[in-house]
Amino acid sequence: MTRIFNRTSQWFAALLIGGCIAVSCAGNADKAVVPSSFDGAALLAAAGQIDELIAIGDIAELAGIPAERIARHVEDYDNHPSQKKLAYHWETPGAISFTTLTGEAVNLPKHHSIGIANLEAMDLATFERRYLTSAGIKAAIDALVNDASVNADVAIAQTAYLADVAKNLSLEQLEGVGEAAVWELPTQVLHVFADGAAFTVTTNFGDDSVVNKRKAIAFARMVFNNQ
């Protein structure tokens, strides 16, 4: 009887521990705690080689797909580290259709993606002013209006898009993600601040904002833990 009781107790304890671990893991899906090893200056210094920031194998695990399906793309329009954008993307079933500014009909395969942009040095007050208000969008509109190098039709279209975003803007301040973080809708991007560095995680895992937010937080954890 004692032996049966001991085995039962051991089984129950294992179940309880497993349950606690499961709950903990579920809770951690909404957190990206900054480890003591994280160095904001080192992250900023890595902006010049942003394409090496996160391994494709880690993205494959995040997306739940084979690594060979994932492509990596870097945008670098003016050779400035803070303006670089890194995106990991892969095809998904379906297609998207749209009409260009010149009236051309375009059909393209659907893609999902995740990436990082706007990596720059910043203090907390500046981060909150830029990302907890609509000031960032206003600054982007002003930059388009004042940039003579941007095609007029493109500038008008982008300004109209940004104005529509500003009209429907929703900003959610997140706890437990970096030192400060803001989830932005309808763009579905995550702005993160830690140790004097700020960055934006871009997401496209479909229309479910909950899925996109959790993937973005998981990506932020990678940034913190992959230095």
Side-chain angles (χ1 to χ4, degrees):
M1 176 68 71
T2 301
R3 186 174 299 172
I4 293 174
F5 176 79
N6 287 340
R7 287 179 179 173
T8 303
S9 299
Q10 290 170 1
W11 175 84
F12 180 77
L15 182 63
L16 182 61
I17 292 171
C20 291
I21 291 173
V23 171
S24 175
C25 290
N28 287 340
D30 297 318
K31 305 292 182 184
V33 177
V34 183
S36 59
S37 59
F38 177 73
D39 184 343
L43 176 62
L44 295 170
Q49 293 79 41
I50 196 169
D51 55 318
E52 300 176 6
L53 192 60
I54 304 292
I56 285 183
D58 292 334
I59 300 300
E61 184 176 348
L62 173 67
I65 60 173
E68 55 268 24
R69 286 183 54 192
I70 300 174
R72 181 166 45 194
H73 174 70
V74 176
E75 291 182 6
D76 184 12
Y77 293 121
D78 59 4
N79 198 31
H80 192 284
S82 69
Q83 298 302 314
K84 283 189 174 183
K85 299 178 181 179
L86 168 65
Y88 300 88
H89 56 91
W90 54 95
E91 285 192 18
T92 61
I96 57 172
S97 302
F98 60 93
T99 302
T100 67
L101 293 174
T102 60
E104 180 185 1
V106 177
N107 292 288
L108 295 173
K110 278 189 176 180
H111 280 76
H112 282 177
S113 65
I114 192 162
I116 186 170
N118 305 330
L119 180 54
E120 57 185 312
M122 193 177 297
D123 59 35
L124 180 58
T126 302
F127 177 86
E128 291 178 340
R129 183 170 59 254
R130 181 175 300 181
Y131 294 120
L132 275 175
T133 70
S134 60
I137 292 179
K138 183 180 184 301
I141 291 174
D142 291 342
L144 279 170
V145 171
N146 296 321
D147 190 345
S149 67
V150 178
N151 177 276
D153 289 337
V154 173
I156 291 170
Q158 289 184 340
T159 299
Y161 167 76
L162 289 170
D164 187 59
V165 169
K167 183 174 64 176
N168 297 291
L169 187 65
S170 172
L171 301 170
E172 178 188 358
Q173 192 168 6
L174 303 182
E175 298 293 333
V177 179
E179 294 176 27
V182 178
W183 176 244
E184 178 183 311
L185 293 173
T187 51
Q188 301 201 98
V189 298
L190 175 67
H191 306 293
V192 183
F193 171 84
D195 194 33
F199 59 90
T200 297
V201 181
T202 62
T203 66
N204 175 20
F205 285 84
D207 297 327
D208 191 331
S209 64
V210 174
V211 171
N212 280 291
K213 180 164 67 172
R214 285 199 164 178
K215 297 295 187 182
I217 292 171
F219 188 94
R221 285 197 299 270
M222 289 183 188
V223 172
F224 292 145
N225 293 309
N226 280 273
Q227 280 194 328

